[in-house]
Structure formats: structure tokens, C-alpha cells
Amino acid sequence: MAGQSNPRVRHLRQLLGDVRLVRGDLLDQGSLIAAVERVQPDEVYNLAAISYVPMSWQQAELTGEVTGLGVLRVLEAIRVCSGISASRSPGRGQIRFYQASTSEMFGQVTVTPQNEQTPFHPRSPYGVAKAYGHFLTQNYRESYGMFAVSGIMFNHESPRRGAEFVTRKVSLGVAKIKLGYERQLRLGNLHASRDWGFAGDYVRAMQLMLGQDQPADYVIGTGVTHAVEALVERAFRHAGLDWHDHVVTDTAFIRPAEVDRLCADPAKARDELGWEPKMGFEELVCMMVDADLELLAASGGLAGDSFGTDSW
Ligand code: GDD
């Protein structure tokens, strides 16, 4: 796992119980080969990346290395450990590979909703790096016959989301204001729209993708889009607050190039995987606010601060 600025490992250890962690770094090919050799996995899910879009302008080269070339290194580790030569010999067994692709690859869209055929126009170094990883995954499938697939995931959220992302920033902000720890929440562009779903539903889609007979890429999203302002309104209302009294827009959170509106067409996933999201937008937002109210009440208002700042 390559390091982002979040203390994720501590978080992971608390959740995983007796699951064994093996060290690997997306910047280090040898460490990935060693990890795959040691574990001899049936399936590999690459969810590792620099995934916070604003950080990708600050550290564009590192984002290319981790989020883009990191995919190449994982695929190469699988190829080498499976004994697949560059001339496409069959190799030993088959490790199935899942790549976390993203709706950020669609970027500035001209077609709504977006499906597997929609062209890419990424708007950040992050989106560009993810597009590289996406095409490379397809290329290893076509070049070496590997079971390598991409899930083009729209935004997926839960109370475990990092506090730098807007859903969690809002749920934590609402909880802090409600409990009297803060009075204001500073946000960027309230007019951007996203197709937000529950992360647990999306993990189910990833597993279904690797369980198919034939490898294929899928768009995963709810098909419903909301503006950031609607998210804010719903979250504050759930806590009995009026967002107009607390939200301040701050140019520090405006991006150099924005993705204005994303909305998934998940028809292929529904038809071929039998996948449908179980949790809708309202339930998701209210669940996140409730979780943060509980967390903050238990921690005396300190929870979330360890994630650091989200301005870029
Ligand atoms: N983070 C953040 N903070 N976003 C804000 C804020 C703010 O204060 N104010 C407005 N926004 C807007 C952003 O400009 C963006 O349009 C939208 O809220 C969502 O921002 P994020 O929650 O940071 O997510 P994202 O859409 O950029 O990217 C996330 O989803 C992608 C699709 O699954 C990340 O998880 C990506 O890694 C992922 O690929």
C-alpha cells in the first residue's frame, strides 16, 4: 500500500481482525512481486492510489507514478508470478485482477448518463493517471489473456470515508456544529453534481466482477445525481440545522479544473452481474451524519482531526 496523508493502516488493523497484512509499495516492483509470490492469491484487487483529486495537482508526478504506473507494477507482478511470458504463453493458473477505475475518467462529459462506451475527458492529473491504469488493464487482458477487469466506480461513500472528501467533510462538519464544537463549515463548489452511492454496495460489485466466466469492464453507480448543495442541505436538515446559517464558500477549495456533473448508467452491471445498489442517497447521508454524531460524542469532538487539512 502506498502512503497517502491518511493514517489508514491503523484504521485497517482495527477492522480486519486476524487478516494478515503483507507489505507492498506501488512504487517498488520487487516488493509487489514478493507479495504476490508469498500470498499466491486467487484474486488481486488494486484499490490503492493517490485518490484525493486536489492532491493530484500538487503532486502530479507522484500521482502518475502511484495511481498510473502503480497499476503497471501490480499487473507485471501478477504476470511474472503466473509464469506468463511476454510472448503470451498460458502460464500457471490464473490470478484474477480487479482495477479500481473511476468516473473521474469521464471528466468533462458531453453525454449523460455515462456508460462503458462514453469517451474519456479527464480533468485532473488523477483522472489522467486512472485512465492510463484503465487502458493498461484492458491491454493486459488483450495481450496476455489475463483475467483483468476494471470497475468504473462513481463516488462511493461510508462513515469510513476520509474527512478530506466532501461527503465526510459535511457529515463531520454537521456533527461538530450540532454538538457545539464549531460554528462554520468552509466548502468549495456547491454546484458540482455527483452520483453518490454506498461503498458496501460497490464492494459487492467488485466481487461479482471477478466471479464472472468472462472478464469485462463495468460502470458502477446509482444512476441518480445530486448537487453538493443538496448533500449539504440534507445533512444539515437531518441534524435539525439550516445550512445557510453555517456554510461559507471558500476559494481555497475550488479546483483548477472541475468535473461539473457525473451520472452513471449502470445497466450493464444490472443485466450481466445482477447488481443493484441497496442504499439510496438520503439513507446514505443520514447514516453518515448519525455515525459522526456518535463518534464525536464518544471522542469529545476530536474525531476526524487526524486526517489533516483538505485544502490544496
Ligand atoms: N473534497 C471537497 N471538499 N470537495 C468539495 C468541497 C470541499 O470542501 N466543496 C465542494 N466540493 C466538490 C468538489 O469540487 C467535487 O466537485 C465534489 O465536491 C466531490 O469532491 P470529492 O468528495 O473530493 O470527490 P471527487 O468526486 O473529486 O472524487 C472521488 O470520487 C471519485 C469517483 O469514485 C474520489 O474518491 C476519487 O478518488 C474517485 O475516483
Side-chain angles (χ1 to χ4, degrees):
M1 176 192 315
Q4 200 167 346
S5 54
N6 304 322
R8 302 277 197 219
V9 173
R10 183 165 49 88
H11 205 57
L12 259 184
R13 283 194 203 286
Q14 286 165 359
L15 295 168
L16 289 181
D18 58 2
V19 171
R20 196 157 45 93
L21 293 180
V22 174
R23 199 170 283 277
D25 190 324
L26 287 184
L27 298 177
D28 181 356
Q29 182 71 75
S31 74
L32 297 175
I33 292 174
V36 174
E37 264 177 354
R38 185 166 160 199
V39 175
Q40 298 280 318
D42 298 316
E43 298 179 344
V44 172
Y45 294 82
N46 180 33
L47 312 185
I50 288 178
S51 64
Y52 182 46
V53 173
M55 187 174 160
S56 76
W57 279 284
Q58 281 183 328
Q59 293 184 273
E61 184 182 352
L62 185 63
T63 301
E65 282 285 351
V66 173
T67 304
L69 279 172
V71 184
L72 172 71
R73 296 186 187 103
V74 179
L75 283 163
E76 276 294 285
I78 294 171
R79 185 183 69 77
V80 168
C81 294
S82 306
I84 301 170
S85 76
S87 59
R88 198 184 172 157
S89 64
R92 298 184 296 272
Q94 209 178 61
I95 300 172
R96 296 188 167 209
F97 174 72
Y98 172 87
Q99 168 60 16
S101 286
T102 166
S103 52
E104 284 292 300
M105 299 186 305
F106 295 127
Q108 184 146 304
V109 297
T110 50
V111 184
T112 294
Q114 293 84 47
N115 65 22
E116 293 77 6
Q117 272 72 53
T118 304
F120 296 159
H121 182 157
R123 295 273 282 169
S124 62
Y126 166 78
V128 173
K130 278 285 184 180
Y132 171 83
H134 180 80
F135 286 125
L136 199 75
T137 301
Q138 279 182 353
N139 179 257
Y140 270 55
R141 183 164 80 219
E142 293 168 7
S143 302
Y144 302 119
M146 286 169 62
F147 195 109
V149 301
S150 288
I152 306 176
M153 298 277 163
F154 284 63
N155 300 49
H156 42 290
E157 318 293 319
S158 87
R160 295 176 190 167
R161 189 55 140 154
E164 65 272 44
F165 298 94
V166 76
T167 52
R168 185 79 196 288
K169 183 174 174 182
V170 169
S171 64
L172 264 173
V174 166
K176 286 183 180 175
I177 291 166
K178 179 72 182 174
L179 297 177
Y181 295 114
E182 278 175 19
R183 294 173 58 82
Q184 238 185 30
L185 177 61
R186 304 185 81 79
L187 294 171
N189 179 10
L190 301 184
H191 303 297
S193 293
R194 290 291 183 277
D195 179 334
W196 281 293
F198 171 54
D201 285 333
Y202 291 55
V203 170
R204 194 160 37 81
M206 295 174 198
Q207 290 175 320
L208 286 169
M209 286 175 65
L210 287 201
Q212 294 301 293
D213 292 338
Q214 295 300 324
D217 302 329
Y218 293 89
V219 158
I220 305 295
T222 69
V224 182
T225 189
H226 293 90
V228 174
E229 188 177 297
L231 160 75
V232 167
E233 190 280 328
R234 190 67 195 88
F236 276 83
R237 180 155 54 89
H238 185 62
L241 300 167
D242 183 343
W243 70 274
H244 296 98
D245 298 336
H246 303 283
V247 171
V248 175
T249 49
D250 185 335
T251 52
F253 301 112
I254 303 288
R255 299 175 181 186
E258 177 65 283
V259 172
D260 294 320
R261 188 171 191 273
L262 292 172
C263 184
D265 170 7
K268 183 181 175 193
R270 186 190 57 227
D271 296 346
E272 295 184 11
L273 303 177
W275 179 84
E276 283 197 7
K278 290 185 180 158
M279 191 181 292
F281 173 76
E282 295 236 337
E283 191 184 347
L284 174 66
V285 174
C286 297
M287 184 254 280
M288 290 181 70
V289 170
D290 287 338
D292 279 327
L293 281 167
E294 204 175 305
L295 189 70
L296 286 181
S299 68
L302 291 175
D305 290 348
S306 59
F307 290 103
T309 175
D310 71 343
S311 78
W312 67 278

